[in-house]
Amino acid sequence: TPRQAPEVASEFPAGFLIGAATASYQIEGAVQEDGRIPSIWDTFSHTPGKTWNGDTGDIAVDHYHRFEQDLDLMADLGLQAYRFSIAWPRIVDADGQTNPAGIDFYSRLVDGLISRGIRPIATLYHWDLPQHLEDAGGWLNRETAYRFAEYAAEIAKALGDRVHTWTTLNEPWCSAYLGYGSGAHAPGLADGAAALRAVHHLNLAHGLAVPQLRRHSSNRPAVSATLNFHVVRGDDQEACRRIDALANRAFTGPMLRGEYDADLLEDTREVTDWSFVQEGDLELIHQPIDLLGVNYYSTVTVRMWDGEGEHVRNDGHKDMGGTPWPGSEHVEFLAQPGPFTDMGWNIAPDGLEDLLVSLHERYPELPLMITENGAAFPDVVATGEDGPCVHDELRVDYLVRHFAAAQAAIARGVDLRGYLVWSLLDNFEWGFGYAKRFGIVRVDYETQERLVKDSGHWLRQTISAHRQRSALEAPTETDA
Ligand code: GBH
């Protein structure tokens, strides 16, 4: 019995998609099955000291074997859209050959979604780089971007008749700055110059993949990238400008405007000369896209360190020896007002509203979609009248307030097309292993049993109210 959840008046426009998101390595398990080859996350998570408790995605929540049951769960929640990622190491082997068994898994997943009336939103890269490509330099090697474009073409050929919405990269900020700069994510390098080089090759991978997705999809797909924006707070203009440049404009600049901003190049001049940017690259990266995916969790508050006393870096990242802020290491990340999630991230729904409004002001023609938003809390299983339940009221409250912020942004003119909650299921939370739970559905990691939390029941009600309202507003509108 879910506790009575606060109602959200469904004020999203008809056609707005409400759903949930996951990522391959975080949920699938079955890492050695059907021809999947190793990824950098297999290597990293199996390296002692890299993840909490030595946790790995070897089994994760066994979605690879339980996807039919998970599809039924999505249908039960009434999801209108489901964002998942495709594991590159299931699709292409070390010799560049396409693996039919890997394709087949995602083909069955997509068919299962469509038959349940759920729109598939497929991400091509959510951090699981094939290990052999890392051995050849990974995102420090320009060739990886070309391999990515080839993989994108294969995927579009196989699924492009049924998938209408593609995302090239998920959060290249994390891949570059946490993977190669701070060392908190795979492959675990701690080198600022490497991080900036990875930024550029990820941007290039996006730009090369976009035309491949269009060319090989048999429909007219909506092509997007998903970025995690840093919503930067503070009175110190210099500090705010620097972090905005490194974290946000390093991606929006080339992807949406065809340039790296002069201040970004200037701020990082001591770290790298950017000679990895070749003639013509910015034109390649600057592809028209149909949608921008926005992942939002929290804000940061910054100021320049004056060199006195201890340098504060309360940026929510594990200290693994390197910096995710090349060239701006002396920016301080200050403690924020809270309240905080179990990740220690500041809860600030107004940050979401501000972010959506400012993106819309800057790129008025570009539709936006919230491709991730959610929160980790230490859930407790209780015994209700009808059996076990999870009264995750903190997560419900987080979602209610962020949904309201999205509605406020729409009321201010933002062209927002959907809202995908992170995450459908509790899962492998990268460096934090299974210690942090983001699901609206609880997973018992011993039995793999799924249990819808109150937040899942709340989402079901919210979607149902939205469907009813949409039907009244636009009787001919369908989800297809
Ligand atoms: C996403 O990354 C991932 O796409 C997903 O796989 C992951 O499971 C999920 O979020 C939850 O972590 O400085 O206070 O903003 C999250 C990216 C980037 C979000 C930096 C929080 C740091 C804390 N994170 N940010 S704060």
Side-chain angles (χ1 to χ4, degrees):
T1 356
R3 276 190 197 144
Q4 192 52 47
E7 290 258 333
V8 149
S10 173
E11 274 160 28
F12 293 115
F16 189 88
L17 296 171
I18 306 178
T22 63
S24 48
Y25 190 72
Q26 296 181 271
I27 63 165
E28 287 177 358
V31 291
Q32 297 189 7
E33 267 168 75
D34 295 338
R36 181 187 180 277
I37 59 174
S39 82
I40 55 174
W41 269 96
D42 298 285
T43 309
F44 187 77
S45 65
H46 279 272
T47 305
K50 299 298 186 187
T51 64
W52 180 86
N53 191 40
D55 286 351
T56 74
D58 287 2
I59 298 172
V61 297
D62 199 32
H63 171 75
Y64 193 79
H65 297 120
R66 293 167 196 261
F67 78 95
E68 289 282 358
Q69 179 198 330
D70 289 339
L71 283 164
D72 288 340
L73 187 58
M74 293 179 221
D76 172 63
L77 293 173
L79 301 193
Q80 296 179 296
Y82 173 58
R83 173 176 182 252
F84 61 98
S85 82
I86 296 168
W88 189 351
R90 290 194 193 281
I91 304 300
V92 190
D93 74 12
D95 300 320
Q97 299 299 309
T98 306
N99 172 19
I103 296 274
D104 191 55
F105 171 71
Y106 296 104
S107 190
R108 284 180 287 143
L109 179 69
V110 166
D111 287 342
L113 289 167
I114 292 171
S115 70
R116 288 166 180 81
I118 304 167
R119 184 178 307 205
I121 299 181
T123 299
L124 271 69
Y125 186 67
H126 201 125
W127 311 350
D128 38 6
L129 185 73
Q131 180 62 43
H132 71 93
L133 293 178
E134 180 57 36
D135 297 340
W139 291 112
L140 305 183
N141 183 352
R142 199 180 157 84
E143 282 300 312
T144 300
Y146 293 92
R147 298 293 85 77
F148 181 70
E150 290 163 11
Y151 153 63
E154 288 308 308
I155 287 295
K157 283 180 208 163
L159 305 177
D161 55 336
R162 287 157 290 157
V163 174
H164 299 242
T165 309
W166 299 112
T167 300
T168 54
L169 306 176
N170 176 71
E171 302 190 350
W173 183 89
C174 293
S175 300
Y177 294 104
L178 300 183
Y180 295 84
S182 82
H185 279 188
L189 261 72
D191 173 350
L196 294 167
R197 191 180 171 91
V199 164
H200 181 62
H201 292 147
L202 284 153
N203 281 329
L204 185 62
H206 161 80
L208 292 171
V210 170
Q212 295 300 327
L213 291 170
R214 289 200 208 288
R215 186 166 312 141
H216 296 288
S217 297
S218 53
N219 53 61
R220 268 208 206 174
V223 180
S224 69
T226 277
L227 301 177
N228 61 305
F229 289 91
H230 279 70
V231 174
V232 188
R233 305 294 203 202
D235 303 322
D236 187 329
Q237 298 287 317
E238 164 80 357
C240 292
R241 183 195 59 68
R242 278 176 169 270
I243 297 309
D244 178 48
L246 263 181
N248 306 326
R249 289 187 275 116
F251 304 98
T252 54
M255 286 184 188
L256 304 179
R257 292 181 275 113
E259 62 192 11
Y260 285 111
D261 291 331
D263 64 334
L264 170 65
L265 303 179
E266 187 55 37
D267 291 347
T268 54
R269 198 165 298 283
E270 305 277 287
V271 181
T272 179
D273 60 6
W274 291 79
S275 56
F276 43 76
V277 181
Q278 296 184 9
E279 183 88 40
D281 280 3
L282 287 159
E283 288 72 27
L284 287 173
I285 298 167
H286 185 206
Q287 296 291 325
I289 55 172
D290 307 288
L291 187 73
L292 179 65
V294 175
N295 289 359
Y296 176 80
Y297 290 90
S298 185
T299 50
V300 291
T301 301
V302 297
R303 122 187 127 194
M304 297 307 289
W305 185 46
D306 59 11
E308 305 281 312
E310 206 196 321
H311 174 266
V312 183
R313 206 186 94 192
N314 212 324
D315 63 359
H317 302 299
K318 291 214 290 189
D319 188 350
M320 300 287 276
T323 173
W325 308 110
S328 288
E329 292 86 349
H330 44 269
V331 172
E332 288 191 301
F333 288 75
L334 305 178
Q336 300 187 83
F340 303 98
T341 70
D342 197 26
M343 300 297 287
W345 300 345
N346 188 44
I347 301 174
D350 58 316
L352 177 59
E353 181 179 340
D354 292 351
L355 172 61
L356 294 170
V357 169
S358 74
L359 283 170
H360 180 69
E361 280 171 356
R362 186 127 200 205
Y363 308 103
E365 304 303 322
L366 184 61
L368 306 175
M369 182 179 283
I370 298 169
T371 39
E372 286 181 30
N373 171 252
F377 288 110
D379 302 318
V380 177
V381 180
T383 314
E385 282 162 31
D386 315 322
C389 47
V390 179
H391 297 312
D392 58 338
E393 49 254 297
L394 293 172
R395 185 174 293 103
V396 173
D397 183 62
Y398 180 99
L399 291 173
V400 166
R401 290 175 350 112
H402 286 78
F403 270 59
Q407 291 177 349
I410 293 171
R412 291 171 67 185
V414 173
D415 183 4
L416 187 67
R417 300 293 175 90
Y419 202 127
L420 306 171
V421 172
W422 185 268
S423 180
L424 176 68
L425 301 161
D426 287 339
N427 61 50
F428 176 74
E429 177 52 27
W430 307 113
F432 297 89
Y434 299 97
K436 307 293 178 189
R437 293 178 179 270
F438 275 90
I440 56 171
V441 176
R442 181 178 176 92
V443 179
D444 178 323
Y445 296 125
E446 297 294 319
T447 63
Q448 296 292 352
E449 258 174 283
R450 277 72 166 139
L451 172 63
V452 178
K453 303 178 191 176
D454 282 4
S455 55
H457 294 295
W458 172 84
L459 192 70
R460 185 199 284 114
Q461 286 168 28
T462 301
I463 296 173
S464 147
H466 170 56
R467 281 184 193 271
Q468 281 169 29
R469 207 185 120 107
S470 302
L472 288 177
E473 229 175 56
T476 54
E477 185 91 19
T478 68
D479 287 340

